[in-house]
Amino acid sequence: MDIAALSVAMANQHVRASASQAIMNKSMGVMEQQSQQLLDMLKTSGAQAPHPSLGKVVDIQA
C-alpha cells in the first residue's frame, strides 16, 4: 500500500470515529434529558388512593 492510500484510509477512519463519537454524545444527552424528565414526573406523582388497601387485594375465585 502506498503512502497516499494509507493517508486516505487513515483520514476516513478518523472521520468515522469522529462521527461515531458525535452520535454517542448526542444520544447520551437525550438519555440524560429523558431521565431528568422521568425523575421530575415521579416527584410530581398523582394523589394517593382514597383508602390505603384499595386495589391491593384481588378475589380470583369464580
Side-chain angles (χ1 to χ4, degrees):
M1 185 180 254
D2 61 356
I3 300 298
L6 183 60
S7 175
V8 169
M10 288 176 64
N12 286 340
Q13 180 62 30
H14 179 68
V15 169
R16 282 190 214 114
S18 296
S20 295
Q21 186 176 12
I23 290 170
M24 187 180 304
N25 286 339
K26 182 69 174 175
S27 65
M28 284 177 55
V30 169
M31 289 171 45
E32 287 176 358
Q33 182 182 10
Q34 288 176 344
S35 64
Q36 187 60 45
Q37 289 173 348
L38 178 62
L39 289 174
D40 292 342
M41 183 181 70
L42 290 173
K43 287 178 185 176
T44 60
S45 62
Q48 295 291 330
H51 193 272
S53 63
L54 184 65
K56 294 187 183 216
V57 178
V58 178
D59 185 11
I60 57 171
Q61 289 186 350

